[in-house]
Structures are given as C-alpha cells and as structure tokens.
Amino acid sequence: MAKDNTGSPKILQLEMKKKRLTNILMVIGLCTLFYSLGAWQNTGHSTVNPNSNLATKVECDSQSTASSSSPSALDFEAHHELIFNQTFMEVQKFPPCDLNFSEYTPCQDRTRGRRFEREMLVYRERHCPGKDEVIRCLIPAPPKYKTPFKWPQSRDFAWYDNIPHKELSIEKAVQNWIQVEGDRFRFPGGGTMFPRGADAYIDDINALISLTDGSIRTAVDTGCGVASWGAFLLKRDIVTMSFAPRDTHEAQVQFALERGVPAMIGVMATQRMPYPARAFDMAHCSRCLIPWQGYDGLYLIEVDRVLRPGGYWILSGPPINWKNHYRGWERTQEDLNKEQDSIEEVAKRLCWKKLIEKDDLAIWQKPINHIECKESRRIYKTPHICKNENADTAWYKKMEACITSLPEVRSGDEVAGGELKKWPERAFAVPPRISSASIPGLTAKEFEDDNELWKDRIAHYKKIIPTLAKGRYRNVMDMNAHLGGFAAVLAKYPVWVMNVIPANSDRDTLGVIYERGSIGTYQDWCEAFSTYPRTYDLLHANGVFSIYQDRCDITDILLEMDRILRPEGAVIIRDLIEVLNKVKEKTDGMRWKSQIMDHETGPFNPEKILVAVKTYWTAPSIQQ
C-alpha cells in the first residue's frame, strides 16, 4: 500500500506557490478594475452638461435668494437682465467694496493722478497704488446691472444702468457719438469729424486706400472716443486697438468695451504705448487733440515705431482742411497753417510719404525699409535713427526722440522684417519674426505644433463650455498668450481676444501675435490692467499663477480678474494641480463657482483645468 505524502514539505511548498500566484492574479485584476472605473469617472467629469445648473442662479425678484446647485457641472448661460438684489447666506471671505468703487480703475485713479505733474499729461499715465493702497474687496456692479446686449446688437446699444453717464450724450449731442433712448444708450456711429457716421467715413478712407483686400488687418486709434471707428472696421475684418485717457469725457473706453469693441485706457504722454514695434498696419487720429508737431515730433515718432513698414497714418480734424473749418475751430488761419506745416515737416523727417489729402482726410505712408531714410540723415540731422535699442520694449519705457530702426534689407524693394500674408491666411502662416529666427529658440515647427495644440484645446473647451462658440462671450482676454494660438483658433467665432504678454516673459512674442493679425498688450499681472470693471466676458489664464506665485500675492491677481470680469462671466485657468488648489481656495471666497477638471489628454497629466463662473450680484439699491 502506498504511503500518504500530502503532508510532505515539497507538496506544501507547491501549494503555497499556487496560492501566491492566485493572490497576485487577483490583485492585478482588482487594480485593473478600479483603474478602469476611476478613468471612466474622471472622463465623465471633464465635460459639462449645458442643461445643468451649477452656477448660482437667483430668480430676479425681491424675494429671491441664492439657490444651491449640483457641484458636478457649471452653468454658462446668462440669466440676469432685470433689477435684482442678492443676499448671500454664507459669510464671504472677501467683502464687497462700497458702491463708489463701482468704476474703480486702480492704475488710472484720478485722485492719485493729481499727485503728478500736468506737463505732457503725466498725471493721466499709469500710476498704480502702492501696497498700502491696495484694496481687498470685490468691486460691485451697479444695482440695476443687466447682461449686455449680444454682438452685433451691442455695437449699437448698451444699457444705461450698466454705465449711468449721460455727459457724452449732452456734450457731443450734435456729433452723434451717443444718444439716450429710454433705459438704453444708442450709438449712431457718429464722430467729431464724421457726422455722416463712421461707416460713411470709413468708405471715404477706402476710396483712398484699400481696406478690403486683406492687406490691412490691425489698426490703432489714438484718442478713440467711444470707438465707433474701430466698431465699424470690424465688419471689414480689421481689428483696432482703440484707446483714450480717463478724463473729463467720462467713460469713453467703458462705453467702447460695453459695445463689444476692443479698447484700453491709455494716453500718449511720456511713455511708449504698450505695444511692440511694427505692430499696426494703420494708425488713425480723428481730432484726437494730440500735439503731433510738439516736443520735436515725439508723438509721431512713437506712431512710427508701432507702424509696420508700409503702414498708413490717417489724420482728420485740425489742421486738415483748415481753410473750410477754421471759424468753427475758433482758431486763426495763420495758427492752423503753421501747425499743418510743422506736421508735414515732422512726417518728412520720418521719411514718410504723403499719399493724399482730400477734403477732411490726410494719409501718409511709412517706407517699407530704411535704405533711403538712412541716406537722408545727411540732410536731416534730427531725429536720428536709434542705435542699440530693443524697439519692442514698451512696458514703462520712456518715448525717445529717435527713429526706430527697421531690420536690414538687401534691396530697395524688400520689406524690412519680412512681408506679411493677407488676412485671413495671415492667422496661421509662419510669422516673419519666427521664419527669420529673430526670437531665439523659436522655430517654425514649434509654431505649427502650437497651432495644432490650440485647435485641440479649443475643441475641448467647447465641450466644457458649450456656449463658447455661440455668442455668449464677446470680450475675451488671454492673460498669457504666448504665440496667440488661442486667439487665432477663436477668430472664426463672434469674439475678439486681448492677447497679453507678461512684461517679465523670457521670450517676447507679442510682435508674433501682431504679425498673425491679432492685437494685444504687455502687462505685469502684479498690477491692475488698464480697463474699467466688468469689461471682459471670458478670461483665459494659461500658467499665469505658476509664473507669478513667487513674485506677488496671487490673491491680488484673482481680485483683479474679478474686477474686470462681468457678472456671470467665465474663467479658464490652466496650471499644475497644486497651484490650482491654492487658486480654488481663494476663489471659493470670491462668489465664484468653480470646478477643477482633468487635462484634455486625460487624468494622468499633472496640469489641470479650473473652470469658474462669476456669480451674479450687485450693490444694494439702498446705496444709491
């Protein structure tokens, strides 16, 4: 009879090995199951149901209170167009400011400006508050604030309660800038020098230089009023950077932005305009009250810096056509004639060619290169051509009375810096600053890869925010624009994008963005932006907080974002998860509803996306 060997050491070892193998297989199976489940859940939370109700909604009547909502989706629709006062039950970390801060512009505060000299309008330049002056409260909307009209209706109408200023409708009544009609403003498109309307005025310009063949895409309007010139150029696919100071003509720039037209608070004083060299295809002044002939032509020299080779400068108003207008301008013929002669002389010294003067319009053109201009310095000793200068430097940089040198060329018919494609091909063509390798380390391959990256990202954003491509947002800001891919992909939608390049960036790419046919500015996000409160519908911040977290308090950046964002506006912040956790901790006390989502490539990318909606609330009516 055989012996029973079941208890032998060899058999026991064999059974233990089988059990270990079984346990390992079970663990692997469970890990796979839970990984798949987790990935499925994360994917499910990366998009938003447009019919869900995540943002705080409040019924627009006197009995309404904030309703709680599901934390799994955000509501990006606008809901509030009527009078409403909201009471928040929970204690807010950041209190609302008083109503007198409703139009607070920190770096263009008129009280602070009075500390500075009036000569050359220094007092109207940027003067930001010191650390002891910074406020940490939420800027309130006026008590009867309404969601602005959608584009293109907004070009012609704005709610009176959003910008309760009638001064311009009275002061400029005969010039058709703006009219009050019941509870709204209407913008007839008029201007001081175009009483027939901006559209007819632009047609007059188009009869002199072509505005419709795609060769002119970017423009700058100095002393823009309510930006009607820029507003009506948009239908000709020309995007205009309009600016005007915060002065006695109350809220010009605020009106422009409320209309959905690009604009900034700005002034030509002692500092360069915050734009790179060779940025604009066209510059314009319609009775903008800038002394072009003064200070040795300093302001025309600055216009020359930002004009691209072959670009145009258009002037209407004093002194143009002074023989017919001198009585209405209440100036002597001798004075106006002297002013025009002085402007003509400055333009000649800048090597500009006067193309035409017809009726109330005069147009000059900048040369396409500086071959002849350098030769002319034998005759014109001033202004000399600048040497050893970064012409793009424009953040708190003083103007200089020297001609910004154009890139070298090999022949007289070559465009300095490279010829630009016509719009819309220009948006995705490799910009000359990249093809010429003028920005160290930036290649055409990187540019093309960046374009594909943003096409994918915008497709993802449209899933997160279904209203993005449907006119819900008009004024958009990219707070760290890099190569401008975000704006270029959005160009086919009814939006415009203010591309911002942080002033401390390692690579200055704002010139690239302009060569693509977009507009933008330099900005240090440790300071406030040059705009009024509630002037942007959507803010996009890619890596902004990683850049600035060691330079200044991110709380102040977030409060500035809240200041310039309209009620029920949206925010997209891309950054590392540890940075976004800090950001969300702050925004939870700012009356924002936010959610951190996975990167478009999946849950294992360390970069995440925070999407937020600023809830609707206003100052109490009693404060009026």
Side-chain angles (χ1 to χ4, degrees):
M1 187 175 185
K3 293 181 180 179
D4 186 359
N5 292 326
T6 55
S8 67
K10 290 183 177 180
I11 292 175
L12 288 172
Q13 289 177 358
L14 184 60
E15 289 179 352
M16 290 174 67
K17 288 181 179 179
K18 288 181 179 179
K19 288 181 179 179
R20 286 189 194 131
L21 181 60
T22 301
N23 289 339
I24 290 171
L25 291 173
M26 288 179 64
V27 170
I28 292 173
L30 288 170
C31 287
T32 303
L33 175 64
F34 287 119
Y35 168 80
S36 301
L37 180 61
W40 175 80
Q41 288 176 328
N42 282 326
T43 303
H45 286 298
S46 65
T47 58
V48 172
N49 181 352
N51 298 318
S52 63
N53 178 23
L54 204 153
T56 299
K57 292 185 179 181
V58 184
E59 296 300 326
C60 299
D61 58 56
S62 59
Q63 303 298 321
S64 64
T65 57
S67 63
S68 62
S69 54
S70 164
S72 61
L74 295 174
D75 180 9
F76 298 99
E77 295 290 350
H79 302 282
H80 301 281
E81 296 185 354
L82 300 174
I83 302 170
F84 134 78
N85 294 310
Q86 179 173 358
T87 302
F88 278 80
M89 302 303 294
E90 68 273 17
V91 175
Q92 295 298 311
K93 184 174 182 181
F94 297 100
C97 307
D98 291 337
L99 182 56
N100 62 330
F101 281 93
S102 178
E103 295 181 359
Y104 182 50
T105 54
C107 296
Q108 280 87 13
D109 181 67
R110 284 174 292 188
T111 302
R112 185 178 303 106
R114 294 191 188 103
R115 305 175 193 170
F116 298 88
E117 59 183 294
R118 300 183 70 85
E119 176 67 20
M120 293 185 73
L121 303 181
V122 170
Y123 74 107
R124 287 183 179 168
E125 292 182 316
R126 280 178 62 90
H127 302 292
C128 297
K131 290 183 179 180
D132 59 334
E133 298 176 287
V134 173
I135 63 170
R136 286 203 165 180
C137 52
L138 304 176
I139 303 297
K144 299 180 182 180
Y145 182 87
K146 302 175 181 67
T147 300
F149 292 95
K150 282 188 177 182
W151 183 265
Q153 192 180 14
S154 65
R155 186 193 68 182
D156 302 324
F157 295 98
W159 295 113
Y160 171 78
D161 288 323
N162 291 8
I163 313 177
H165 295 288
K166 294 184 178 179
E167 295 90 336
L168 280 176
S169 66
I170 299 169
E171 191 172 339
K172 301 292 183 180
V174 298
Q175 297 167 13
N176 271 335
W177 280 30
I178 182 172
Q179 297 173 358
V180 180
E181 295 182 351
D183 61 352
R184 66 188 68 185
F185 291 109
R186 187 169 73 87
F187 301 92
T192 307
M193 292 308 300
F194 34 95
R196 295 181 295 125
D199 224 10
Y201 175 79
I202 292 169
D203 286 340
D204 291 341
I205 296 174
N206 187 55
L208 304 177
I209 57 173
S210 177
L211 302 178
T212 56
D213 65 358
S215 59
I216 295 177
R217 165 62 181 172
T218 58
V220 60
D221 190 11
T222 54
C224 64
V226 294
S228 288
W229 188 70
F232 282 88
L233 278 173
L234 285 168
K235 70 179 186 179
R236 295 165 172 84
D237 279 337
I238 296 174
V239 60
T240 305
M241 179 67 81
S242 299
F243 69 84
R246 178 165 187 168
D247 60 6
T248 54
H249 292 166
E250 190 64 63
Q252 296 176 83
V253 167
Q254 191 176 13
F255 276 120
L257 288 159
E258 190 74 8
R259 299 174 70 184
V261 179
M264 290 178 63
I265 301 174
V267 64
M268 296 197 75
T270 66
Q271 297 171 0
R272 284 180 170 178
M273 293 181 282
Y275 318 123
R278 312 194 314 274
F280 298 101
D281 304 319
M282 177 169 60
H284 174 257
C285 162
S286 176
R287 199 170 187 180
C288 59
L289 305 180
I290 296 173
W292 297 113
Q293 76 286 0
Y295 310 109
D296 298 321
L298 186 65
Y299 298 138
L300 270 185
I301 291 171
E302 174 62 1
V303 170
D304 179 82
R305 183 185 72 86
V306 300
L307 267 185
R308 71 164 173 83
Y312 301 97
W313 183 57
I314 301 171
L315 177 64
S316 65
I320 305 303
N321 201 10
W322 57 266
K323 291 180 181 179
N324 290 325
H325 293 301
Y326 73 93
R327 291 187 181 89
W329 291 339
E330 297 180 349
R331 292 175 59 185
T332 65
Q333 298 183 62
E334 292 75 17
D335 181 37
L336 287 163
N337 188 28
K338 181 180 179 181
E339 181 180 340
Q340 178 150 357
D341 287 346
S342 298
I343 290 174
E344 303 270 12
E345 179 64 19
V346 173
K348 187 181 298 183
R349 289 173 180 269
L350 290 174
C351 308
W352 292 3
K353 176 184 177 183
K354 188 173 185 181
L355 293 182
I356 193 167
E357 180 177 333
K358 183 178 180 182
D359 299 327
D360 293 341
L361 287 167
I363 302 177
W364 287 262
Q365 185 173 27
K366 179 177 176 176
I368 62 172
N369 58 56
H370 271 168
I371 289 179
E372 292 184 5
C373 196
K374 289 178 179 178
E375 289 293 322
S376 71
R377 294 311 93 182
R378 297 177 181 177
I379 301 172
Y380 302 118
K381 302 301 180 183
T382 59
H384 64 278
I385 295 177
C386 305
K387 297 180 180 179
N388 302 321
E389 180 215 22
N390 183 351
D392 290 345
T393 302
W395 185 248
Y396 290 120
K397 171 74 174 178
K398 293 290 186 181
M399 293 183 191
E400 295 185 32
C402 59
I403 302 173
T404 298
S405 179
L406 291 175
E408 294 294 328
V409 295
R410 290 165 291 185
S411 64
D413 58 358
E414 182 181 348
V415 178
E419 192 166 358
L420 299 176
K421 300 288 186 182
K422 291 186 176 182
W423 183 263
E425 183 184 359
R426 183 170 164 180
F428 292 99
V430 178
R433 293 185 196 226
I434 294 179
S435 59
S436 65
S438 62
I439 301 177
L442 186 53
T443 64
K445 176 67 165 55
E446 182 179 343
F447 173 79
E448 289 164 354
D449 289 346
D450 188 74
N451 286 336
E452 295 305 312
L453 176 71
W454 282 108
K455 289 175 183 177
D456 291 341
R457 287 181 172 179
I458 296 299
H460 184 63
Y461 289 167
K462 286 166 62 179
K463 295 176 183 177
I464 296 174
I465 308 177
T467 55
L468 178 62
K470 299 178 181 178
R472 168 69 183 87
Y473 308 104
R474 172 63 185 170
N475 300 354
V476 179
M477 178 184 289
D478 192 354
M479 297 172 65
N480 183 21
H482 187 41
L483 300 179
F486 174 78
V489 178
L490 284 179
K492 60 185 177 181
Y493 301 124
V495 306
W496 67 270
V497 180
M498 178 69 78
N499 294 277
V500 177
I501 295 298
N504 59 313
S505 292
D506 294 333
R507 291 195 294 193
D508 180 359
T509 53
L510 190 54
V512 168
I513 290 169
Y514 273 95
E515 287 183 342
R516 300 187 71 169
S518 295
I519 59 171
T521 183
Y522 296 107
Q523 170 69 22
D524 184 345
W525 285 114
C526 291
E527 299 179 0
F529 194 77
S530 291
T531 191
Y532 285 84
R534 302 173 302 282
T535 45
Y536 284 87
D537 303 296
L538 175 67
L539 303 179
H540 182 264
N542 181 22
V544 169
F545 293 94
S546 285
I547 293 172
Y548 282 95
Q549 63 178 340
D550 296 326
R551 295 191 62 239
C552 50
D553 194 331
I554 65 170
T555 301
D556 295 323
I557 300 176
L558 287 165
L559 288 172
E560 173 62 5
M561 292 171 69
D562 182 82
R563 183 184 75 87
I564 68 179
L565 188 64
R566 285 175 174 164
E568 296 188 312
V571 177
I572 303 173
I573 303 175
R574 306 179 68 97
D575 225 310
L576 299 176
I577 184 61
E578 56 267 27
V579 176
L580 290 186
N581 283 333
K582 295 177 185 177
V583 169
K584 192 174 189 309
E585 182 182 347
K586 303 289 185 183
T587 61
D588 285 346
M590 288 171 51
R591 308 191 189 204
W592 290 12
K593 293 295 182 182
S594 62
Q595 179 180 338
I596 296 178
M597 303 177 181
D598 284 326
H599 192 272
E600 61 269 7
T601 59
F604 297 106
N605 194 311
E607 182 180 272
K608 303 295 179 185
I609 304 172
L610 184 147
V611 182
V613 176
K614 177 179 175 178
T615 58
Y616 180 93
W617 64 278
T618 71
S621 296
I622 194 171
Q623 289 194 31
Q624 281 190 304

